[in-house]
Amino acid sequence: MSTQELSGVAVSPGQASGPVVRVAEPAGEPASGPPPDDPQAEATRIAPAAQAVVGRLEALAEAATGDAATILTTTAAMAGDPALVGQAEQLVSTERMPAARAVYEAANGFVQQLAAAGGYMAERVRDVEDVRDRLVAELLGTAPPGVPLLERPSVLVGRDLAPADTAGLDPALVLALVTEEGGPTSHTAILARSLGIPAVVAVRGLLALEAEALAVDGDLGTVTIADPDAAPVAAKAEAAAEWNGTGATADGRRVKVLGNVGSPADAEAAARAGAEGVGLFRTEFCYLDAPAEPSVQRQREAYAAVLEPFHGKPVIVRTLDAGADKPLAFLSHDDEPNPALGVRGLRIAFDLPEVLDRQLEAIAGAAADSGAEVSVMAPMVATAAEAAWFAERARAAGIERAGVMIEVPAAALAAREILEVSDFVSIGTNDLAQYTFAADRQLGAVAQLNDPWQPGLLRLIAMVGEAARATGKPAGVCGEAAADPLLARVLAGFGLTSLSMNAAAVRAVGASLAGVTFDECAAAARAAVAAPDVPSARTAASAAVSG
């Protein structure tokens, strides 16, 4: 490959070229000494610094709307978290650390917990690191990391973008986003799609590339050195057409467009976006901060708050996705050499079925309280026997409709047998890619293997679609792959009956499906699975629906 071109993971479509502006890097690890002369006075510096950062983030949130405002507000809340501030103050007092170092150490403790949790919670690590770096800069009196003031349309380049940086971007001034780290499920990817900004992530060697201007292809995932004297060019993806709110192809083939949620705020955002229901309700939020297992009543109330915006609509609740790799006090297991492949998800319920039974009781109660049409599904299922065991317990708890997640290759290969004992399946493409390619989805160095356009992954998904047709039962996708409007057409072409995604993608996906017939979707699916690699799969699918 020419040294003039790099490749990464295409996460937001469109093409653009223009001058490069680099994102400011964090100051780095603050010094651990010398110890303060007056630890008590040094500790009192932390809370005002946190409030200063909170104030700036809240001001940005007030000027933003939609998902951007939500992300900025959430980041502000993290910056002012009493637990973070209190722990840092304690480190100054007891360990005689400088304030900046104490904040750094305290925040890293939270980072380690989230990283150990894996999956969705591990994706929040970047949020905490951003808050940490802003607090450290405030205490040191240095410029905060992040996006500088843009004076002209530019291509934004950096190691990664923090959620608050991404949320504050002006699409009129940001031609494209390119990062060396990140992946298909990162905030950069999600917000770039919602703002209509072409983006490529996981571009190895990007920061070493000496270029005054870059051309970015958010469809093919390429980054090329451009002429710095040429006028900026923006050929962003076409804005989504109007969508009538019913997920279907142009000829009436029904494909439900649903939301992924993990909190009451997520549920409200999905409802506002027009989601027809919820395809993935992550229940972990109810457990992560709990020193002991939450009571059935507490769980019931927490779940009902999420279900409320979807009264009379379908909601699929995923049972607790926890285990040896997740630091939940009431789920104690011996240390495992490889927790990602250990006792997690449904597997922990085989040893502690009473925890699952209490959660199912709470879910059934929340369904009655909210009026939502609730189904449940289990994570990390590998065999039909496991699926049957879960379905039996769910029905015993009064939940009539029970399914499972397809997250490991064995489940995709046994999809027909699993569907024979389940009411539906839902494909978690993020984990299915991770396990298929043996590539940690949080690691930028292997992010290209987690690209949802990988033909190997698409072929597994196609097998699940075939099993669904053979058994006459529904199969959906609730991973980030469903948020790509073009890939959504391919997934529909496999015969999948629902697509579930973050709120920002709902309307674009609904409009994309409405713009093509099912036969065109099927042609795109055939073209994609026959392709030898990611770029050709994307190109072939696009040609099939536009030729």
Side-chain angles (χ1 to χ4, degrees):
M1 181 178 65
S2 167
T3 57
Q4 302 297 299
E5 180 179 287
L6 298 175
S7 63
V9 178
V11 295
S12 184
Q15 296 80 38
S17 64
V20 167
V21 170
R22 293 182 178 267
V23 176
E25 293 274 348
E29 186 173 335
S32 57
D37 294 331
D38 186 344
Q40 184 175 355
E42 182 74 356
T44 61
R45 297 178 55 221
I46 295 174
Q51 286 309 305
V53 172
V54 169
R56 283 194 287 273
L57 290 169
E58 288 180 340
L60 290 172
E62 290 176 5
T65 59
D67 289 334
T70 301
I71 288 172
L72 287 162
T73 300
T74 301
T75 307
M78 287 184 180
D81 184 356
L84 174 60
V85 172
Q87 190 168 337
E89 290 173 338
Q90 185 177 13
L91 287 173
V92 174
S93 300
T94 60
E95 303 294 330
R96 296 179 62 83
M97 290 183 185
R101 180 69 186 195
V103 165
Y104 187 86
E105 294 284 355
N108 282 356
F110 288 99
V111 165
Q112 291 169 8
Q113 290 180 22
L114 290 171
Y120 177 76
M121 296 310 299
E123 292 166 12
R124 307 282 73 79
V125 163
R126 188 68 185 93
D127 307 50
V128 179
E129 290 176 338
D130 178 41
V131 165
R132 176 199 67 192
D133 295 339
R134 290 172 186 270
L135 288 173
V136 167
E138 181 69 23
L139 287 162
L140 295 178
T142 59
V147 180
L149 181 65
L150 300 180
E151 298 178 350
R152 58 176 177 166
S154 307
V155 174
L156 206 55
V157 170
R159 185 173 306 281
D160 198 3
L161 281 176
D165 290 328
T166 315
L169 296 180
D170 182 352
L173 291 175
V174 180
L175 296 168
L177 293 172
V178 192
T179 63
E180 183 158 306
E181 298 180 357
T185 64
S186 66
H187 266 302
T188 299
I190 294 169
L191 265 296
R193 281 194 291 268
S194 70
L195 294 171
I197 298 173
V200 182
V201 302
V203 182
R204 301 188 72 180
L206 173 68
L207 298 181
L209 188 66
E210 296 182 2
E212 296 179 41
L214 289 175
V216 180
D217 191 320
D219 292 302
L220 298 179
T222 58
V223 180
T224 310
I225 293 179
D227 181 358
D229 297 322
V233 175
K236 299 180 180 180
E238 295 182 7
E242 288 297 319
W243 178 49
N244 65 9
T246 299
T249 59
D251 53 344
R253 179 69 169 250
R254 194 77 166 90
V255 183
K256 292 180 181 178
V257 179
L258 309 170
N260 289 345
V261 306
S263 68
D266 287 349
E268 291 169 6
R272 286 195 304 270
E276 299 180 273
V278 172
L280 171 61
F281 170 12
R282 307 177 182 95
T283 56
E284 288 73 45
F285 79 102
C286 192
Y287 294 84
L288 287 174
D289 294 329
E293 180 189 353
S295 66
V296 170
Q297 183 59 31
R298 181 178 175 185
Q299 290 184 57
R300 178 172 179 164
E301 292 170 355
Y303 302 152
V306 178
L307 297 174
E308 187 62 38
F310 291 96
H311 177 87
K313 294 183 178 180
V315 176
I316 299 176
V317 182
R318 184 181 68 188
T319 54
L320 182 60
D321 189 10
D325 66 332
K326 302 196 176 184
L328 300 184
F330 60 93
L331 297 179
S332 58
H333 273 262
D334 295 334
D335 289 339
E336 296 177 348
N338 193 341
L341 304 181
V343 181
R344 57 174 300 184
L346 183 65
R347 297 171 183 178
I348 200 164
F350 301 146
D351 294 331
L352 297 170
E354 65 276 9
V355 173
L356 173 63
D357 291 343
R358 285 189 287 267
Q359 184 179 28
L360 291 171
E361 179 185 350
I363 293 169
D369 296 341
S370 66
E373 298 176 1
V374 171
S375 308
V376 291
M377 64 180 176
M380 288 297 290
V381 168
T383 67
E386 292 177 354
W389 184 87
F390 174 75
E392 181 180 355
R393 300 195 88 86
R395 289 166 188 146
I399 302 171
E400 294 182 1
R401 194 166 181 267
V404 302
M405 294 278 287
I406 302 288
E407 298 173 283
V408 296
L413 294 168
R416 183 176 299 203
E417 290 81 2
I418 287 174
L419 278 166
E420 287 173 350
V421 297
S422 304
D423 296 308
F424 66 93
V425 296
S426 184
I427 305 169
T429 52
N430 304 345
D431 271 332
L432 184 58
Q434 174 173 251
Y435 288 118
T436 297
F437 295 101
D440 187 339
R441 73 188 204 195
Q442 303 302 319
L443 188 60
V446 295
Q448 293 192 39
L449 291 173
N450 283 307
D451 192 315
W453 283 94
Q454 284 283 359
L457 177 65
L458 295 179
R459 290 165 195 163
L460 279 175
I461 296 172
M463 292 178 63
V464 177
E466 291 172 5
R469 288 193 297 273
T471 57
K473 292 184 177 179
V477 169
C478 61
E480 200 58 37
D484 181 332
L486 176 59
L487 187 50
R489 294 173 170 182
V490 171
L491 299 173
F494 289 145
L496 302 177
T497 54
S498 67
L499 302 175
S500 185
M501 65 216 68
N502 62 81
V506 166
R507 293 191 183 279
V509 169
S512 179
L513 293 171
V516 290
T517 65
F518 176 73
D519 285 345
E520 289 176 303
C521 290
R526 290 192 297 271
V529 293
D533 52 40
V534 167
S536 54
R538 188 187 294 269
T539 300
S542 180
V545 292
S546 61

